[in-house]
Amino acid sequence: TACDSKNDPTPDPLEGNHFDIWVSSAAYTGAGTTDNIQLVKGVKSLDDQGNIDFKGTGADVTAKLFQETIIKDGYYYQVPKEKDRFGKYKIVNNQIITVKEFSFEKNTLKDRRYTHTWIDNNTLVLLAANGNSSKVIWIKVNAQEMKIISEGELNLEALPKGGTYSTSGIASYRKSDNTILYSYVNNKDKTKFFMAFVNPDDMSVKATVEENRAEFMAGTAFGELLQSKSFFDADDNYYLACNNVISGAPSTTQQFGTILRIKKGEMKFDPDYKGFQKHSKSHGKIITVEYLTKGKALIYVQDPKFAGVEEWAHTYNNYYAVLDLATDELTVLDLPFSEGTFSQRSVVIGKKAYIGVNPEKSQPAIYIYDIPTGKLTKGLTITEGYSFDRIVTIAD
């Protein structure tokens, strides 16, 4: 009977873990906003229909930490507010614990403006443009000892004269063939972007390809320190959210999105795949993408036209939907439109997706999406007056 699946229930994915809820004091938190009070509060469950009030509770991390951070197991890793170091931190009992920090040596990273990927449970690779964006630098870190293993520059194909590299780009590790997929743009020519395939053992570049079906990845400056822009599916295919500026738009932030794919083991984009294209409901700017379950992704999209408003900035024009990766069918979730494009209020864990909203006419709330059934139920709410910025799952 020990091998009987009926007597071998699926372990609770939240056992030994909890959620950290990040909020800000101001109504608006956008890219580059650094002067708001940032509060973090840990909760064991988001399913309860209770209310979270941060008044007098939660850790005030304003003086030390950015919400743009690397998260693994029970720790936050980042260039902190001091800006001259890289550190490992825990938030316990409403207090920040500094586990260990180290000073930069050869290469220096700017706060919030770098990308990262883990090549094993203990080895963290950090990448970013150098000071004048003429090169892409990297630092390999032993995250257990918090020591620099090695550092250097990526040997990328030279950009045309006058070209500069994107602030960070996006890095993802493909374990099946021990390859880092690193996407970046030439800031002086955003008609296309590039994907480099890097050997993490010596950080040599195996190959580089161009992609012109999108102008740039959905994140070029902050990597995935705050928002999920890419994922691997169950078959190890890599999906990358991308955007194009709307022709004639008054601002380059007004964009429409697409999702591109690199098949397992390949070092080129799949020419036959272009996602988020065929539906008639919406064709807005992709903000975040997350792998939901086999063949499906959870996406967060900004689309004023679909939301029935005229304004792009600082308004309630963002929605969540499930995208079928094979058919491109879009199922918009029955949730209120949200404000906030510089946030990550969703997380997928086990058979549930926890989705936070910042609605116009009610307080911020978290909904639980049951992946097998597609059912939505309302969970915790957050007292009005805070900007709901982020949900994090983190080890206790």
Side-chain angles (χ1 to χ4, degrees), residues 225-259:
L225 296 177
L226 175 63
Q227 297 176 303
S228 175
K229 306 289 188 178
S230 67
F231 62 84
F232 288 96
D233 67 11
D235 299 318
D236 210 28
N237 300 307
Y238 180 66
Y239 292 81
L240 179 65
C242 304
N243 286 309
N244 292 271
V245 175
I246 296 172
S247 179
S251 169
T252 58
T253 63
Q254 298 181 16
Q255 303 165 11
F256 64 91
T258 189
I259 298 175

PDB file of all heavy atoms in Angstrom, residues 225-259:
ATOM      1  N   LEU A 225      14.462  41.068 -11.615  1.00  0.00           N
ATOM      2  CA  LEU A 225      14.590  41.330 -10.180  1.00  0.00           C
ATOM      3  C   LEU A 225      13.241  41.588  -9.529  1.00  0.00           C
ATOM      4  O   LEU A 225      13.063  41.360  -8.340  1.00  0.00           O
ATOM      5  CB  LEU A 225      15.507  42.534  -9.939  1.00  0.00           C
ATOM      6  CG  LEU A 225      16.958  42.375 -10.378  1.00  0.00           C
ATOM      7  CD1 LEU A 225      17.724  43.666 -10.138  1.00  0.00           C
ATOM      8  CD2 LEU A 225      17.634  41.218  -9.653  1.00  0.00           C
ATOM      9  N   LEU A 226      12.305  42.075 -10.287  1.00  0.00           N
ATOM     10  CA  LEU A 226      10.957  42.311  -9.763  1.00  0.00           C
ATOM     11  C   LEU A 226       9.913  41.499 -10.508  1.00  0.00           C
ATOM     12  O   LEU A 226       9.013  40.932  -9.900  1.00  0.00           O
ATOM     13  CB  LEU A 226      10.598  43.805  -9.854  1.00  0.00           C
ATOM     14  CG  LEU A 226       9.164  44.161  -9.445  1.00  0.00           C
ATOM     15  CD1 LEU A 226       8.919  43.820  -7.974  1.00  0.00           C
ATOM     16  CD2 LEU A 226       8.886  45.644  -9.687  1.00  0.00           C
ATOM     17  N   GLN A 227      10.026  41.422 -11.821  1.00  0.00           N
ATOM     18  CA  GLN A 227       8.959  40.831 -12.623  1.00  0.00           C
ATOM     19  C   GLN A 227       9.429  39.624 -13.420  1.00  0.00           C
ATOM     20  O   GLN A 227      10.567  39.580 -13.893  1.00  0.00           O
ATOM     21  CB  GLN A 227       8.407  41.893 -13.580  1.00  0.00           C
ATOM     22  CG  GLN A 227       7.779  43.071 -12.851  1.00  0.00           C
ATOM     23  CD  GLN A 227       7.337  44.156 -13.803  1.00  0.00           C
ATOM     24  OE1 GLN A 227       8.127  44.676 -14.583  1.00  0.00           O
ATOM     25  NE2 GLN A 227       6.070  44.524 -13.741  1.00  0.00           N
ATOM     26  N   SER A 228       8.531  38.667 -13.580  1.00  0.00           N
ATOM     27  CA  SER A 228       8.810  37.475 -14.376  1.00  0.00           C
ATOM     28  C   SER A 228       8.536  37.779 -15.846  1.00  0.00           C
ATOM     29  O   SER A 228       7.420  38.112 -16.224  1.00  0.00           O
ATOM     30  CB  SER A 228       7.925  36.315 -13.903  1.00  0.00           C
ATOM     31  OG  SER A 228       8.104  35.185 -14.728  1.00  0.00           O
ATOM     32  N   LYS A 229       9.568  37.651 -16.666  1.00  0.00           N
ATOM     33  CA  LYS A 229       9.467  37.962 -18.087  1.00  0.00           C
ATOM     34  C   LYS A 229       9.687  36.737 -18.975  1.00  0.00           C
ATOM     35  O   LYS A 229       9.557  36.831 -20.197  1.00  0.00           O
ATOM     36  CB  LYS A 229      10.511  39.021 -18.464  1.00  0.00           C
ATOM     37  CG  LYS A 229      10.467  40.296 -17.627  1.00  0.00           C
ATOM     38  CD  LYS A 229       9.249  41.134 -17.921  1.00  0.00           C
ATOM     39  CE  LYS A 229       9.325  42.494 -17.231  1.00  0.00           C
ATOM     40  NZ  LYS A 229       8.161  43.351 -17.539  1.00  0.00           N
ATOM     41  N   SER A 230      10.032  35.610 -18.390  1.00  0.00           N
ATOM     42  CA  SER A 230      10.353  34.424 -19.183  1.00  0.00           C
ATOM     43  C   SER A 230      10.086  33.178 -18.355  1.00  0.00           C
ATOM     44  O   SER A 230       9.946  33.250 -17.130  1.00  0.00           O
ATOM     45  CB  SER A 230      11.817  34.446 -19.624  1.00  0.00           C
ATOM     46  OG  SER A 230      12.676  34.313 -18.496  1.00  0.00           O
ATOM     47  N   PHE A 231      10.042  32.019 -19.009  1.00  0.00           N
ATOM     48  CA  PHE A 231       9.901  30.763 -18.276  1.00  0.00           C
ATOM     49  C   PHE A 231      10.264  29.596 -19.175  1.00  0.00           C
ATOM     50  O   PHE A 231      10.270  29.703 -20.406  1.00  0.00           O
ATOM     51  CB  PHE A 231       8.474  30.586 -17.743  1.00  0.00           C
ATOM     52  CG  PHE A 231       7.401  30.527 -18.801  1.00  0.00           C
ATOM     53  CD1 PHE A 231       7.090  29.334 -19.450  1.00  0.00           C
ATOM     54  CD2 PHE A 231       6.692  31.663 -19.163  1.00  0.00           C
ATOM     55  CE1 PHE A 231       6.101  29.275 -20.418  1.00  0.00           C
ATOM     56  CE2 PHE A 231       5.703  31.628 -20.127  1.00  0.00           C
ATOM     57  CZ  PHE A 231       5.413  30.432 -20.762  1.00  0.00           C
ATOM     58  N   PHE A 232      10.584  28.473 -18.549  1.00  0.00           N
ATOM     59  CA  PHE A 232      10.725  27.186 -19.235  1.00  0.00           C
ATOM     60  C   PHE A 232       9.457  26.381 -18.967  1.00  0.00           C
ATOM     61  O   PHE A 232       8.935  26.382 -17.839  1.00  0.00           O
ATOM     62  CB  PHE A 232      11.934  26.410 -18.706  1.00  0.00           C
ATOM     63  CG  PHE A 232      13.254  26.977 -19.117  1.00  0.00           C
ATOM     64  CD1 PHE A 232      13.955  27.832 -18.282  1.00  0.00           C
ATOM     65  CD2 PHE A 232      13.807  26.654 -20.352  1.00  0.00           C
ATOM     66  CE1 PHE A 232      15.175  28.357 -18.659  1.00  0.00           C
ATOM     67  CE2 PHE A 232      15.027  27.173 -20.740  1.00  0.00           C
ATOM     68  CZ  PHE A 232      15.724  28.030 -19.896  1.00  0.00           C
ATOM     69  N   ASP A 233       8.960  25.671 -19.982  1.00  0.00           N
ATOM     70  CA  ASP A 233       7.803  24.812 -19.759  1.00  0.00           C
ATOM     71  C   ASP A 233       8.261  23.431 -19.318  1.00  0.00           C
ATOM     72  O   ASP A 233       9.456  23.182 -19.113  1.00  0.00           O
ATOM     73  CB  ASP A 233       6.904  24.764 -20.999  1.00  0.00           C
ATOM     74  CG  ASP A 233       7.554  24.061 -22.197  1.00  0.00           C
ATOM     75  OD1 ASP A 233       8.618  23.422 -22.038  1.00  0.00           O
ATOM     76  OD2 ASP A 233       6.980  24.142 -23.302  1.00  0.00           O
ATOM     77  N   ALA A 234       7.318  22.509 -19.168  1.00  0.00           N
ATOM     78  CA  ALA A 234       7.635  21.169 -18.674  1.00  0.00           C
ATOM     79  C   ALA A 234       8.530  20.401 -19.632  1.00  0.00           C
ATOM     80  O   ALA A 234       9.202  19.441 -19.226  1.00  0.00           O
ATOM     81  CB  ALA A 234       6.335  20.399 -18.433  1.00  0.00           C
ATOM     82  N   ASP A 235       8.577  20.803 -20.899  1.00  0.00           N
ATOM     83  CA  ASP A 235       9.412  20.138 -21.903  1.00  0.00           C
ATOM     84  C   ASP A 235      10.719  20.877 -22.146  1.00  0.00           C
ATOM     85  O   ASP A 235      11.432  20.585 -23.106  1.00  0.00           O
ATOM     86  CB  ASP A 235       8.633  19.993 -23.213  1.00  0.00           C
ATOM     87  CG  ASP A 235       7.375  19.145 -23.045  1.00  0.00           C
ATOM     88  OD1 ASP A 235       7.457  18.113 -22.357  1.00  0.00           O
ATOM     89  OD2 ASP A 235       6.318  19.531 -23.580  1.00  0.00           O
ATOM     90  N   ASP A 236      11.031  21.849 -21.295  1.00  0.00           N
ATOM     91  CA  ASP A 236      12.277  22.620 -21.364  1.00  0.00           C
ATOM     92  C   ASP A 236      12.348  23.544 -22.577  1.00  0.00           C
ATOM     93  O   ASP A 236      13.436  23.927 -23.017  1.00  0.00           O
ATOM     94  CB  ASP A 236      13.505  21.703 -21.338  1.00  0.00           C
ATOM     95  CG  ASP A 236      14.714  22.374 -20.697  1.00  0.00           C
ATOM     96  OD1 ASP A 236      14.517  23.248 -19.837  1.00  0.00           O
ATOM     97  OD2 ASP A 236      15.845  22.031 -21.066  1.00  0.00           O
ATOM     98  N   ASN A 237      11.184  23.900 -23.119  1.00  0.00           N
ATOM     99  CA  ASN A 237      11.147  24.960 -24.121  1.00  0.00           C
ATOM    100  C   ASN A 237      11.148  26.301 -23.394  1.00  0.00           C
ATOM    101  O   ASN A 237      10.514  26.452 -22.347  1.00  0.00           O
ATOM    102  CB  ASN A 237       9.892  24.848 -24.991  1.00  0.00           C
ATOM    103  CG  ASN A 237       9.816  23.532 -25.723  1.00  0.00           C
ATOM    104  OD1 ASN A 237      10.755  23.135 -26.410  1.00  0.00           O
ATOM    105  ND2 ASN A 237       8.704  22.826 -25.572  1.00  0.00           N
ATOM    106  N   TYR A 238      11.830  27.285 -23.954  1.00  0.00           N
ATOM    107  CA  TYR A 238      11.987  28.588 -23.306  1.00  0.00           C
ATOM    108  C   TYR A 238      11.074  29.608 -23.969  1.00  0.00           C
ATOM    109  O   TYR A 238      11.055  29.739 -25.198  1.00  0.00           O
ATOM    110  CB  TYR A 238      13.440  29.040 -23.437  1.00  0.00           C
ATOM    111  CG  TYR A 238      13.762  30.376 -22.808  1.00  0.00           C
ATOM    112  CD1 TYR A 238      13.703  30.559 -21.434  1.00  0.00           C
ATOM    113  CD2 TYR A 238      14.164  31.456 -23.598  1.00  0.00           C
ATOM    114  CE1 TYR A 238      14.020  31.778 -20.850  1.00  0.00           C
ATOM    115  CE2 TYR A 238      14.481  32.682 -23.023  1.00  0.00           C
ATOM    116  CZ  TYR A 238      14.414  32.833 -21.647  1.00  0.00           C
ATOM    117  OH  TYR A 238      14.731  34.038 -21.082  1.00  0.00           O
ATOM    118  N   TYR A 239      10.298  30.321 -23.161  1.00  0.00           N
ATOM    119  CA  TYR A 239       9.384  31.346 -23.654  1.00  0.00           C
ATOM    120  C   TYR A 239       9.816  32.703 -23.112  1.00  0.00           C
ATOM    121  O   TYR A 239      10.108  32.847 -21.922  1.00  0.00           O
ATOM    122  CB  TYR A 239       7.955  31.044 -23.218  1.00  0.00           C
ATOM    123  CG  TYR A 239       7.359  29.816 -23.872  1.00  0.00           C
ATOM    124  CD1 TYR A 239       7.642  28.545 -23.389  1.00  0.00           C
ATOM    125  CD2 TYR A 239       6.534  29.936 -24.995  1.00  0.00           C
ATOM    126  CE1 TYR A 239       7.112  27.409 -23.987  1.00  0.00           C
ATOM    127  CE2 TYR A 239       5.990  28.807 -25.598  1.00  0.00           C
ATOM    128  CZ  TYR A 239       6.292  27.549 -25.093  1.00  0.00           C
ATOM    129  OH  TYR A 239       5.764  26.436 -25.702  1.00  0.00           O
ATOM    130  N   LEU A 240       9.829  33.708 -23.987  1.00  0.00           N
ATOM    131  CA  LEU A 240      10.301  35.040 -23.630  1.00  0.00           C
ATOM    132  C   LEU A 240       9.267  36.077 -24.050  1.00  0.00           C
ATOM    133  O   LEU A 240       8.868  36.135 -25.214  1.00  0.00           O
ATOM    134  CB  LEU A 240      11.630  35.324 -24.325  1.00  0.00           C
ATOM    135  CG  LEU A 240      12.267  36.689 -24.100  1.00  0.00           C
ATOM    136  CD1 LEU A 240      12.682  36.868 -22.644  1.00  0.00           C
ATOM    137  CD2 LEU A 240      13.479  36.870 -25.021  1.00  0.00           C
ATOM    138  N   ALA A 241       8.820  36.887 -23.091  1.00  0.00           N
ATOM    139  CA  ALA A 241       7.885  37.965 -23.405  1.00  0.00           C
ATOM    140  C   ALA A 241       8.633  39.116 -24.066  1.00  0.00           C
ATOM    141  O   ALA A 241       9.703  39.520 -23.611  1.00  0.00           O
ATOM    142  CB  ALA A 241       7.203  38.446 -22.132  1.00  0.00           C
ATOM    143  N   CYS A 242       8.047  39.657 -25.118  1.00  0.00           N
ATOM    144  CA  CYS A 242       8.661  40.746 -25.879  1.00  0.00           C
ATOM    145  C   CYS A 242       7.608  41.807 -26.186  1.00  0.00           C
ATOM    146  O   CYS A 242       6.408  41.540 -26.118  1.00  0.00           O
ATOM    147  CB  CYS A 242       9.245  40.234 -27.194  1.00  0.00           C
ATOM    148  SG  CYS A 242      10.446  38.893 -27.012  1.00  0.00           S
ATOM    149  N   ASN A 243       8.065  42.998 -26.543  1.00  0.00           N
ATOM    150  CA  ASN A 243       7.150  44.079 -26.888  1.00  0.00           C
ATOM    151  C   ASN A 243       7.672  44.898 -28.058  1.00  0.00           C
ATOM    152  O   ASN A 243       8.879  44.882 -28.365  1.00  0.00           O
ATOM    153  CB  ASN A 243       6.915  45.001 -25.682  1.00  0.00           C
ATOM    154  CG  ASN A 243       6.010  44.377 -24.633  1.00  0.00           C
ATOM    155  OD1 ASN A 243       4.930  43.888 -24.930  1.00  0.00           O
ATOM    156  ND2 ASN A 243       6.468  44.380 -23.382  1.00  0.00           N
ATOM    157  N   ASN A 244       6.751  45.595 -28.719  1.00  0.00           N
ATOM    158  CA  ASN A 244       7.062  46.551 -29.778  1.00  0.00           C
ATOM    159  C   ASN A 244       6.359  47.862 -29.451  1.00  0.00           C
ATOM    160  O   ASN A 244       5.231  47.861 -28.948  1.00  0.00           O
ATOM    161  CB  ASN A 244       6.549  46.071 -31.140  1.00  0.00           C
ATOM    162  CG  ASN A 244       7.290  44.851 -31.649  1.00  0.00           C
ATOM    163  OD1 ASN A 244       8.293  44.949 -32.327  1.00  0.00           O
ATOM    164  ND2 ASN A 244       6.776  43.680 -31.316  1.00  0.00           N
ATOM    165  N   VAL A 245       7.010  48.974 -29.741  1.00  0.00           N
ATOM    166  CA  VAL A 245       6.371  50.269 -29.552  1.00  0.00           C
ATOM    167  C   VAL A 245       5.285  50.446 -30.608  1.00  0.00           C
ATOM    168  O   VAL A 245       5.475  50.122 -31.786  1.00  0.00           O
ATOM    169  CB  VAL A 245       7.405  51.411 -29.660  1.00  0.00           C
ATOM    170  CG1 VAL A 245       6.719  52.769 -29.582  1.00  0.00           C
ATOM    171  CG2 VAL A 245       8.464  51.277 -28.563  1.00  0.00           C
ATOM    172  N   ILE A 246       4.121  50.933 -30.195  1.00  0.00           N
ATOM    173  CA  ILE A 246       3.022  51.174 -31.123  1.00  0.00           C
ATOM    174  C   ILE A 246       3.410  52.298 -32.084  1.00  0.00           C
ATOM    175  O   ILE A 246       3.880  53.362 -31.658  1.00  0.00           O
ATOM    176  CB  ILE A 246       1.745  51.549 -30.357  1.00  0.00           C
ATOM    177  CG1 ILE A 246       1.303  50.367 -29.480  1.00  0.00           C
ATOM    178  CG2 ILE A 246       0.620  51.950 -31.305  1.00  0.00           C
ATOM    179  CD1 ILE A 246       0.166  50.701 -28.540  1.00  0.00           C
ATOM    180  N   SER A 247       3.234  52.056 -33.351  1.00  0.00           N
ATOM    181  CA  SER A 247       3.611  53.044 -34.368  1.00  0.00           C
ATOM    182  C   SER A 247       2.869  54.359 -34.149  1.00  0.00           C
ATOM    183  O   SER A 247       1.650  54.381 -34.009  1.00  0.00           O
ATOM    184  CB  SER A 247       3.303  52.502 -35.774  1.00  0.00           C
ATOM    185  OG  SER A 247       3.633  53.447 -36.757  1.00  0.00           O
ATOM    186  N   GLY A 248       3.616  55.442 -34.076  1.00  0.00           N
ATOM    187  CA  GLY A 248       3.016  56.757 -33.907  1.00  0.00           C
ATOM    188  C   GLY A 248       2.627  57.113 -32.492  1.00  0.00           C
ATOM    189  O   GLY A 248       2.089  58.203 -32.256  1.00  0.00           O
ATOM    190  N   ALA A 249       2.893  56.248 -31.543  1.00  0.00           N
ATOM    191  CA  ALA A 249       2.522  56.523 -30.152  1.00  0.00           C
ATOM    192  C   ALA A 249       3.343  57.687 -29.598  1.00  0.00           C
ATOM    193  O   ALA A 249       4.517  57.838 -29.938  1.00  0.00           O
ATOM    194  CB  ALA A 249       2.738  55.283 -29.293  1.00  0.00           C
ATOM    195  N   PRO A 250       2.741  58.502 -28.732  1.00  0.00           N
ATOM    196  CA  PRO A 250       3.463  59.647 -28.175  1.00  0.00           C
ATOM    197  C   PRO A 250       4.525  59.266 -27.158  1.00  0.00           C
ATOM    198  O   PRO A 250       5.369  60.082 -26.805  1.00  0.00           O
ATOM    199  CB  PRO A 250       2.349  60.471 -27.511  1.00  0.00           C
ATOM    200  CG  PRO A 250       1.283  59.477 -27.198  1.00  0.00           C
ATOM    201  CD  PRO A 250       1.334  58.461 -28.312  1.00  0.00           C
ATOM    202  N   SER A 251       4.502  58.021 -26.671  1.00  0.00           N
ATOM    203  CA  SER A 251       5.488  57.566 -25.695  1.00  0.00           C
ATOM    204  C   SER A 251       5.954  56.160 -26.055  1.00  0.00           C
ATOM    205  O   SER A 251       5.155  55.327 -26.498  1.00  0.00           O
ATOM    206  CB  SER A 251       4.884  57.553 -24.285  1.00  0.00           C
ATOM    207  OG  SER A 251       5.729  56.893 -23.376  1.00  0.00           O
ATOM    208  N   THR A 252       7.246  55.891 -25.855  1.00  0.00           N
ATOM    209  CA  THR A 252       7.778  54.561 -26.147  1.00  0.00           C
ATOM    210  C   THR A 252       7.285  53.517 -25.159  1.00  0.00           C
ATOM    211  O   THR A 252       7.477  52.318 -25.383  1.00  0.00           O
ATOM    212  CB  THR A 252       9.313  54.576 -26.146  1.00  0.00           C
ATOM    213  OG1 THR A 252       9.770  55.049 -24.868  1.00  0.00           O
ATOM    214  CG2 THR A 252       9.851  55.472 -27.252  1.00  0.00           C
ATOM    215  N   THR A 253       6.643  53.939 -24.066  1.00  0.00           N
ATOM    216  CA  THR A 253       6.086  52.972 -23.117  1.00  0.00           C
ATOM    217  C   THR A 253       4.760  52.388 -23.604  1.00  0.00           C
ATOM    218  O   THR A 253       4.254  51.439 -23.005  1.00  0.00           O
ATOM    219  CB  THR A 253       5.874  53.615 -21.733  1.00  0.00           C
ATOM    220  OG1 THR A 253       4.911  54.669 -21.845  1.00  0.00           O
ATOM    221  CG2 THR A 253       7.181  54.177 -21.187  1.00  0.00           C
ATOM    222  N   GLN A 254       4.206  52.946 -24.677  1.00  0.00           N
ATOM    223  CA  GLN A 254       2.962  52.428 -25.237  1.00  0.00           C
ATOM    224  C   GLN A 254       3.311  51.344 -26.251  1.00  0.00           C
ATOM    225  O   GLN A 254       3.825  51.634 -27.335  1.00  0.00           O
ATOM    226  CB  GLN A 254       2.154  53.567 -25.863  1.00  0.00           C
ATOM    227  CG  GLN A 254       1.759  54.625 -24.835  1.00  0.00           C
ATOM    228  CD  GLN A 254       0.938  55.751 -25.413  1.00  0.00           C
ATOM    229  OE1 GLN A 254       0.396  55.649 -26.516  1.00  0.00           O
ATOM    230  NE2 GLN A 254       0.827  56.850 -24.672  1.00  0.00           N
ATOM    231  N   GLN A 255       3.029  50.101 -25.896  1.00  0.00           N
ATOM    232  CA  GLN A 255       3.552  48.965 -26.650  1.00  0.00           C
ATOM    233  C   GLN A 255       2.502  47.877 -26.842  1.00  0.00           C
ATOM    234  O   GLN A 255       1.464  47.874 -26.190  1.00  0.00           O
ATOM    235  CB  GLN A 255       4.762  48.369 -25.901  1.00  0.00           C
ATOM    236  CG  GLN A 255       5.885  49.355 -25.627  1.00  0.00           C
ATOM    237  CD  GLN A 255       6.871  48.843 -24.602  1.00  0.00           C
ATOM    238  OE1 GLN A 255       6.857  47.666 -24.227  1.00  0.00           O
ATOM    239  NE2 GLN A 255       7.742  49.721 -24.113  1.00  0.00           N
ATOM    240  N   PHE A 256       2.809  46.955 -27.750  1.00  0.00           N
ATOM    241  CA  PHE A 256       2.014  45.734 -27.872  1.00  0.00           C
ATOM    242  C   PHE A 256       2.968  44.547 -27.812  1.00  0.00           C
ATOM    243  O   PHE A 256       4.126  44.635 -28.198  1.00  0.00           O
ATOM    244  CB  PHE A 256       1.185  45.708 -29.164  1.00  0.00           C
ATOM    245  CG  PHE A 256       1.990  45.685 -30.430  1.00  0.00           C
ATOM    246  CD1 PHE A 256       2.355  44.481 -31.017  1.00  0.00           C
ATOM    247  CD2 PHE A 256       2.386  46.871 -31.044  1.00  0.00           C
ATOM    248  CE1 PHE A 256       3.084  44.450 -32.200  1.00  0.00           C
ATOM    249  CE2 PHE A 256       3.115  46.848 -32.227  1.00  0.00           C
ATOM    250  CZ  PHE A 256       3.466  45.640 -32.806  1.00  0.00           C
ATOM    251  N   GLY A 257       2.475  43.434 -27.299  1.00  0.00           N
ATOM    252  CA  GLY A 257       3.359  42.339 -26.959  1.00  0.00           C
ATOM    253  C   GLY A 257       3.279  41.121 -27.845  1.00  0.00           C
ATOM    254  O   GLY A 257       2.353  40.942 -28.642  1.00  0.00           O
ATOM    255  N   THR A 258       4.276  40.268 -27.657  1.00  0.00           N
ATOM    256  CA  THR A 258       4.313  38.961 -28.289  1.00  0.00           C
ATOM    257  C   THR A 258       5.165  38.049 -27.419  1.00  0.00           C
ATOM    258  O   THR A 258       5.934  38.516 -26.574  1.00  0.00           O
ATOM    259  CB  THR A 258       4.895  39.039 -29.712  1.00  0.00           C
ATOM    260  OG1 THR A 258       4.719  37.788 -30.362  1.00  0.00           O
ATOM    261  CG2 THR A 258       6.379  39.366 -29.688  1.00  0.00           C
ATOM    262  N   ILE A 259       5.010  36.756 -27.590  1.00  0.00           N
ATOM    263  CA  ILE A 259       5.815  35.777 -26.868  1.00  0.00           C
ATOM    264  C   ILE A 259       6.544  34.914 -27.886  1.00  0.00           C
ATOM    265  O   ILE A 259       5.929  34.384 -28.811  1.00  0.00           O
ATOM    266  CB  ILE A 259       4.944  34.906 -25.943  1.00  0.00           C
ATOM    267  CG1 ILE A 259       4.270  35.784 -24.884  1.00  0.00           C
ATOM    268  CG2 ILE A 259       5.775  33.812 -25.275  1.00  0.00           C
ATOM    269  CD1 ILE A 259       3.289  35.035 -23.990  1.00  0.00           C
TER     270      ILE A 259
END
